[in-house]
């Protein structure tokens, strides 16, 4: 790894020993610690299982199976690039940014930013869902505490029915976020220990939900066949669709939104800077986290669909004299509104294993803990992304601060403030879909960073080196992900893709301020070391030539073409 090896375990070039001890992340965990911190990822199935089921219909279980397969293949690229930078925190986007920065100062921070704003909303969505589970378990759906609302801002111009509001869900969610913040304030070791306890407790209901219906045979074949996406007739009633362009668009939308959950175990490499032995721990952390996710993301959606089915009409649609549907039909099962929003998922799952109301209530509590675990995972990973992005010169300097426990507290406060705004949103599915636009962009850039690193840094030490065929498949999946985004993002609201792209662009003025105002156009010393300029080469270290630019142009073309092909 040449001169880069000299900085392993240090804060940055020229940093003193005392500063490394007092102002840096601490090496206190092994791969099992990262595994338990990342064990909150399987709980992300609770966030979108209802939305995918209600969007795609009977092929929804297949969506999850395909998606976790994609995510597992992609993880091998991330494991390789993480091994190049054992002294860095912040996850795959930080390691990938080093590959892109020599070719564009703007593309690199976009990757880091997109990774952060994809991960960060887990805090808002998760605390909102957990609050909904709690309120739903304690009070009837029509109770005043569940129905009152104070609307602050009407955002219907972005998406019909969207608003910023204060209600009981928001207030309980704030308490949950503050509790998670207090735990994380104590550093990565306390977080890992807490998540280990939560992980054991939280994974029990998910495994019960996954296995009990399979063992009891409660999987009626009618809930899975015919294997056709849903469609709607002139009155808005659900019928079997076809594998035409409309059906393919729905499938793409399902795979698009599932990626937000199934790819997320890449967070296991966020803690490279905090591993005792990063050479050994990095690959083990992401590999075993991936195996856990394969089990959960394959079996839980299968059991969920087998238990519920699409559902039946509860309230018929209201059709006006001119044939227009003024009030759509309301369904039970996977098509139920509370299943789509996610608020009713815990209640459904709690009854899947049987045992009466007592067992159901216990399972709801355990599912709340599962969601809390996912919030812990997100706050730990996303705050470290902000921290490392600041250290590397992408984001403002104030985010580089850590406390005496090695916790990046200013990044955590920034995360918290951003998510308090998101928690005010009335539609969490829309928030999830918008943030996933950034996540798909990050994945595309990072999957391609693998081969850029191979070309530009052929002699750097790689504790784990992915097979070339796997690296190549990862590149193909990067383009597949872009096509899924172009086709399916706007299923969750006509402005979803645009809103996500606009938010992704917000990093540009932030980076320009940091780089040209605060740093006078020069990267921090540690970042210059990582870039490994190879100035002795005629090409200045940019051995990949025009290939990165061709890749970017091809990616833009894929999104535009796919978006124009979509049929809603």
């Amino acid at each position: 790894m040449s001169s880069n090896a000299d900085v392993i375990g240090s804060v940055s070039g020229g940093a003193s020993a005392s500063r490394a001890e007092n102002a840096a992340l601490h090496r206190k965990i092994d791969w099992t610690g990262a595994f338990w911190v990342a064990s909150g990822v399987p709980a992300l199935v609770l966030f979108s299982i209802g939305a995918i089921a209600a969007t795609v219909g009977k092929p929804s279980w297949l969506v999850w199976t395909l998606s976790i397969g994609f995510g597992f293949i992609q993880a091998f690229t991330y494991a390789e690039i993480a091994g190049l930078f054992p002294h860095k925190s912040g996850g795959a986007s930080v390691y990938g940014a080093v590959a892109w920065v020599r070719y564009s100062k703007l593309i690199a921070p976009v990757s880091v930013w997109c990774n952060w704003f994809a991960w960060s909303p887990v805090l808002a969505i998760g605390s909102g869902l957990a609050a909904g589970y709690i309120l739903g378990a304690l009070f009837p759906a029509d109770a005043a505490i569940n129905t009152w609302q104070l609307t602050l801002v009407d955002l219907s111009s972005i998406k019909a029915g969207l608003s910023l509001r204060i209600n009981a869900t928001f207030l309980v969610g704030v308490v949950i976020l503050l509790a998670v913040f207090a735990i994380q304030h104590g550093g990565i070791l306390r977080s890992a220990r807490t998540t280990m306890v939560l992980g054991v407790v939280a994974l029990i209901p998910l495994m019960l939900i996954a296995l009990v219906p399979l063992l009891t045979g409660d999987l009626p074949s009618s809930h899975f066949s015919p294997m056709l996406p849903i469609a709607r007739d002139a009155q808005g009633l659900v019928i079997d669709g076809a594998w035409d362009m409309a059906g393919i668009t729905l499938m793409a939308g399902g795979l698009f939104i599932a990626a937000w959950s199934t790819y997320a175990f890449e967070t296991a490499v966020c803690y490279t800077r905090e591993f005792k032995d990063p050479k050994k721990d990095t690959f083990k952390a992401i590999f075993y986290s991936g195996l856990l996710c394969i089990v959960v993301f394959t079996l839980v959606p299968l059991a969920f669909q087998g238990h519920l089915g699409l559902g039946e009409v509860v309230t018929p649609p209201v059709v006006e004299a001119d044939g227009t549907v003024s009030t759509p039909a309301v369904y039970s099962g996977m098509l139920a509104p509370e299943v789509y929003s996610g608020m009713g998922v815990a209640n459904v799952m709690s009854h899947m294993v049987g045992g009466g109301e007592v067992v159901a209530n216990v399972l709801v509590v355990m599912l709340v803990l599962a969601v809390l675990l996912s919030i812990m995972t997100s706050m730990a990973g996303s705050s470290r992304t902000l921290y490392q992005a600041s250290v590397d010169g992408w984001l403002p300097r104030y985010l580089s601060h850590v406390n005496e426990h090695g916790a990046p507290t200013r990044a955590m406060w920034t995360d918290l403030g951003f998510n308090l705004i998101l928690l005010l949103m009335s539609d969490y599915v829309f928030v999830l879909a918008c943030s996933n636009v950034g996540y798909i962009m990050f994945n595309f850039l990072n999957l391609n960073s693998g081969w850029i690193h191979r070309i530009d840094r052929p002699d750097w030490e790689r504790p784990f080196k992915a097979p070339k065929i796997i690296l190549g498949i990862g590149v193909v999946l990067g383009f597949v992900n872009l096509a899924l985004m172009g086709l399916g993002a706007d299923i969750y609201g006509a402005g979803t893709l645009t809103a996500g792209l606009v938010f992704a662009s917000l990093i540009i003025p932030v980076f320009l301020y940091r780089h040209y105002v605060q740093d006078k156009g020069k990267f921090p010393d540690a970042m210059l070391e990582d870039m490994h300029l190879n100035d002795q080469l005629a090409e200045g270290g940019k051995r990949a030539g025009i290939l990165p630019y061709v890749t970017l142009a091809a990616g833009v073309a894929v999104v535009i073409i796919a978006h124009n092909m979509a049929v809603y």
Side-chain angles (χ1 to χ4, degrees):
M1 196 169 171
S2 180
S3 60
N4 196 57
D6 298 333
V7 298
I8 294 175
S10 67
V11 183
S12 64
S16 67
S18 61
R19 182 169 179 260
E21 176 61 29
N22 297 322
L25 302 176
H26 298 173
R27 293 196 182 279
K28 294 203 171 180
I29 61 172
D30 59 14
W31 73 268
T32 59
F35 172 86
W36 285 116
V37 175
S39 66
V41 171
L44 295 180
V45 72
L46 301 171
F47 289 50
S48 55
I49 190 171
I52 291 173
T55 298
V56 180
K58 291 177 181 177
S60 63
W61 68 271
L62 180 60
V63 165
W64 287 100
T65 303
L66 288 173
S67 190
I68 187 58
F70 292 171
F72 192 70
I73 293 172
Q74 293 168 181
F76 287 89
T77 298
Y78 298 155
E80 176 175 321
I81 64 175
L84 293 170
F85 305 101
H87 58 293
K88 279 184 176 291
S89 180
S93 63
V94 171
Y95 317 135
V98 180
W100 284 100
V101 67
R102 289 294 291 154
Y103 298 91
S104 172
K105 284 186 177 183
L106 294 181
I107 295 299
V110 166
S111 177
V112 178
W113 177 260
C114 285
N115 183 223
W116 171 73
F117 91 74
W119 255 109
S120 185
V122 174
L123 276 65
I125 301 170
S127 58
L129 288 180
Y133 294 171
I134 294 169
L135 293 169
L138 295 177
F139 306 99
D142 58 353
I145 193 171
N146 282 326
T147 57
W148 78 273
Q149 176 174 301
L150 175 62
T151 300
L152 302 178
V153 181
D154 182 3
L155 299 175
S156 57
S157 59
I158 300 175
K159 182 181 184 293
L162 187 66
S163 66
L164 296 181
R165 83 287 184 261
I166 294 177
N167 57 9
T169 300
F170 170 80
L171 297 177
V172 175
V174 170
V175 174
I176 291 171
L177 282 180
L178 291 174
V180 171
F181 182 93
I183 295 171
Q184 300 256 328
H185 193 272
I188 189 62
L189 184 60
R190 187 164 80 180
S191 297
R193 288 170 175 170
T194 304
T195 52
M196 181 175 69
V197 175
L198 280 177
V200 172
V201 175
L203 290 173
I204 290 173
L206 289 177
M207 295 311 299
L208 285 175
I209 289 161
L211 295 176
V212 169
L214 297 176
L215 295 176
T216 60
D218 185 21
L219 298 168
S221 60
S222 60
H223 290 181
F224 298 93
S225 62
M227 187 75 114
L228 296 171
I230 63 173
R232 298 182 185 273
D233 62 16
Q235 294 185 335
L237 295 173
V238 169
I239 57 174
D240 288 333
W243 289 112
D244 52 13
M245 201 60 226
I248 293 172
T249 300
L250 288 179
M251 191 71 173
L255 286 166
F256 164 73
I257 210 76
W260 187 80
S261 302
T262 56
Y263 299 176
F265 66 91
E266 48 85 12
T267 189
V269 297
C270 273
Y271 315 101
T272 306
R273 177 61 183 85
E274 292 157 285
F275 284 146
K276 296 176 182 177
D277 187 352
K279 290 183 179 180
K280 294 181 179 179
D281 292 331
T282 301
F283 176 72
K284 288 182 178 179
I286 196 169
F287 180 76
Y288 289 110
S289 296
L291 292 181
L292 173 64
C293 288
I294 286 175
V295 173
V296 173
F297 286 121
T298 300
L299 296 183
V300 170
L302 193 68
F304 186 77
Q305 182 172 336
H307 176 76
L308 277 184
L310 281 182
E312 305 293 336
V313 176
V314 175
T315 305
V318 176
V319 183
E320 302 298 331
D322 60 359
T324 59
V325 179
S326 58
T327 305
V330 177
Y331 280 80
S332 60
M334 292 197 301
L335 301 179
E338 64 273 16
V339 172
Y340 177 85
S341 69
M343 293 299 181
V345 167
N347 187 51
V348 170
M349 289 186 169
S350 67
H351 288 89
M352 286 172 61
V353 299
E357 288 300 316
V358 174
V359 173
N361 288 333
V362 170
L363 281 173
V364 168
V365 172
M366 297 175 81
L367 288 172
V368 170
L369 294 177
V371 174
L372 286 177
L373 180 59
S374 69
I375 299 171
M376 290 278 292
T377 298
S378 176
M379 183 174 284
S382 60
S383 62
R384 280 157 178 78
T385 299
L386 289 179
Y387 163 81
Q388 191 65 51
S390 176
V391 170
D392 288 346
W394 310 122
L395 295 178
R397 289 177 183 172
Y398 86 94
L399 293 168
S400 301
H401 172 80
V402 297
N403 68 3
E404 67 275 14
H405 304 294
T409 46
R410 290 180 183 172
M412 290 163 59
W413 278 115
T414 301
D415 247 356
L416 186 66
F418 175 66
N419 278 276
L420 287 178
I421 297 174
L422 294 184
L423 190 58
L424 293 168
M425 289 270 189
S426 60
D427 187 343
Y428 294 139
V429 175
F430 179 75
V431 173
L432 190 159
C434 284
S435 70
N436 197 47
V437 171
Y439 198 47
I440 295 299
M441 293 172 62
F442 144 73
N443 274 280
F444 173 77
L445 293 171
N446 261 47
L447 290 170
N448 281 284
S449 75
W451 62 263
I452 296 176
H453 276 307
R454 286 269 185 107
I455 295 174
D456 283 356
R457 299 164 178 84
D459 299 326
W460 279 28
E461 180 182 357
R462 286 170 169 80
F464 169 77
K465 190 172 184 178
K468 288 184 178 179
I469 184 66
I470 297 296
L471 204 68
I473 294 173
V475 172
V476 172
L477 288 177
F479 285 97
V480 169
N481 289 331
L482 289 181
L484 296 175
M485 180 179 76
L487 278 170
D490 281 359
I491 286 176
Y492 305 97
T496 302
L497 181 59
T498 300
L501 293 174
V502 168
F503 202 90
S505 69
L506 295 181
I507 183 58
I508 295 176
V510 174
F511 168 70
L512 293 177
Y513 169 77
R514 169 63 197 269
H515 189 63
Y516 292 104
V517 176
Q518 289 191 320
D519 292 346
K520 310 304 179 186
K522 181 182 178 182
F523 284 109
D525 290 342
M527 185 61 190
L528 291 174
E529 180 77 23
D530 294 330
M531 288 165 63
H532 193 48
L533 301 183
N534 288 336
D535 286 332
Q536 70 274 19
L537 299 177
E539 61 270 35
K542 296 197 293 184
R543 297 179 178 181
I546 66 168
L547 290 179
Y549 306 108
V550 172
T551 300
L552 291 174
V556 172
V558 166
V559 175
I560 294 173
I561 293 171
H563 191 60
N564 288 331
M565 291 173 60
V567 176
Y568 301 108

